[in-house]
Amino acid sequence: MYDKQREYTKFCFAFVYNNEEGKGGELMFDVVRLQINYHTLEQFKRFTENGLEELSMLDELHENMVENQVDSPFYGIYEDGTLVARMSLYPINAKYDRYFDPPRDYLELWKLEVLPGSKGRGLGTQLVTYAKSLGHAIKVNVRGQSHPFFLQLGFTPVKYDAQRDRGENPYVWIPNDER
Amino acid sequence: MYDKQREYTKFCFAFVYNNEEGKGGELMFDVVRLQINYHTLEQFKRFTENGLEELSMLDELHENMVENQVDSPFYGIYEDGTLVARMSLYPINAKYDRYFDPPRDYLELWKLEVLPGSKGRGLGTQLVTYAKSLGHAIKVNVRGQSHPFFLQLGFTPVKYDAQRDRGENPYVWIPNDER
């Protein structure tokens, strides 16, 4: 049963990937929602953007004595039991939206990161494709050299607003069926 | 006159650097507020975090036909006519403050970056020391491996708030005479 589910997920990704982005090649990786436990937090330490959020999660684990925290904002890809790519998605309520017109609920994408040894094989693309498959609009602050990456995935830069953006690079994406 | 001012600035930095941070060594670089013109925007392209803000500034230059935009949030250090380090400082009004108690006006520090060839000589420290010399509280989102850097400069992490911080690492600093 597990393997069938797994194969189906792969099939769906290959479908989205081939049709939406116009690229060939089968995607070989499963995106999973990460349970926050000591093992996951240990794996997080290998990522550059490990920070206060992860420390706070560790504190919560200590305090609550629970094994798994299931409402995690993190999604990731494992290879041979090792977490090699991750992202987080925060649901934002329309009343706090400052990017879409009219205001709407959306997902804010943060901490997209692929470990150095796993780069160049489309894992970042697959994570973002997964985020898009959830059916919500997405906002991301594009950093460093990642502008072409997000443009290629159908994101567009907003008109820069100095008061609101203060140095950020907000890009947005809305589901294809709304365009 | 200019040179005297310059020497005095260097002296002050050496003083702050030696006494506050407990490190020796004279600081040899001047921090200047950057005027936004075509030359500056060209130099910005060498920095990783060149993005929508800089593109928007270029648009404004085109539209307004002015040579220099003086109310720039950018500060930097030049070596032999080349901009080798920069940061931006955005004044935030107390009514938008979500980090200090009680709420207060503060500076938000962004885009602190030293070009690869100029790293390891204290330029980042000098920029932040300059920001502190302006006499306001400062908030920064600490990224990657920079946590020890900001701790050493007297910044402290805030208590992580998932709703507010969404993956950011907010660190704050308040002027010494208020402690």
Side-chain angles (χ1 to χ4, degrees), chain A residues 33-34 36 53 57 71-75 87-90:
Chain A
R33 186 155 193 180
L34 303 181
I36 301 303
E53 180 176 30
M57 286 171 164
D71 59 342
S72 146
F74 284 96
Y75 298 78
M87 68 175 170
S88 54
L89 292 173
Y90 302 90

Side-chain angles (χ1 to χ4, degrees), chain A:
Chain A
M1 179 58 207
Y2 173 73
D3 274 335
K4 275 203 172 158
Q5 179 65 38
R6 189 179 161 114
E7 284 310 312
Y8 178 69
T9 310
K10 278 187 196 169
F11 168 77
C12 290
F13 271 119
F15 180 81
V16 171
Y17 195 59
N18 287 325
N19 287 273
E20 261 201 15
E21 310 306 333
K23 287 180 178 178
E26 196 195 348
L27 289 172
M28 299 299 291
F29 308 99
D30 293 332
V31 174
V32 293
R33 186 155 193 180
L34 303 181
Q35 294 205 316
I36 301 303
N37 51 41
Y38 290 107
H39 180 68
T40 306
L41 291 177
E42 196 57 38
Q43 300 233 358
F44 278 178
K45 290 184 182 167
R46 304 177 66 202
F47 290 80
T48 309
E49 292 298 335
N50 198 53
L52 297 186
E53 180 176 30
E54 291 80 356
L55 282 177
S56 150
M57 286 171 164
L58 188 60
D59 283 345
E60 277 188 30
L61 276 187
H62 283 313
E63 283 167 18
N64 300 329
M65 307 287 286
V66 290
E67 184 53 32
N68 287 307
Q69 185 183 324
V70 287
D71 59 342
S72 146
F74 284 96
Y75 298 78
I77 297 173
Y78 283 92
E79 266 190 303
D80 302 325
T82 301
L83 185 69
V84 292
R86 70 169 195 176
M87 68 175 170
S88 54
L89 292 173
Y90 302 90
I92 309 293
N93 191 291
K95 70 180 170 187
Y96 298 113
D97 174 18
R98 298 178 298 161
Y99 300 96
F100 297 94
D101 183 23
R104 58 184 295 163
D105 294 350
Y106 66 94
L107 295 171
E108 193 157 305
L109 195 163
W110 278 83
K111 296 197 177 183
L112 176 65
E113 189 174 344
V114 179
L115 290 187
S118 301
K119 288 190 178 177
R121 292 186 290 137
L123 275 66
T125 296
Q126 186 162 356
L127 282 173
V128 178
T129 303
Y130 180 87
K132 288 158 73 173
S133 77
L134 299 174
H136 299 283
I138 303 173
K139 178 244 162 182
V140 61
N141 174 29
V142 173
R143 288 164 39 186
Q145 315 294 324
S146 316
H147 294 255
F149 172 81
F150 281 101
L151 287 172
Q152 198 169 13
L153 285 167
F155 285 71
T156 50
V158 302
K159 181 169 164 46
Y160 186 79
D161 176 331
Q163 289 299 314
R164 177 193 61 190
D165 298 327
R166 301 200 294 267
E168 283 204 11
N169 303 303
Y171 278 56
V172 293
W173 176 86
I174 57 168
N176 291 336
D177 55 16
E178 295 183 31
R179 293 181 191 181

Side-chain angles (χ1 to χ4, degrees), chain B residues 60-74:
Chain B
E60 276 188 30
L61 276 186
H62 284 313
E63 282 168 19
N64 298 330
M65 307 285 287
V66 290
E67 184 53 31
N68 287 306
Q69 185 183 323
V70 287
D71 59 342
S72 146
F74 283 98

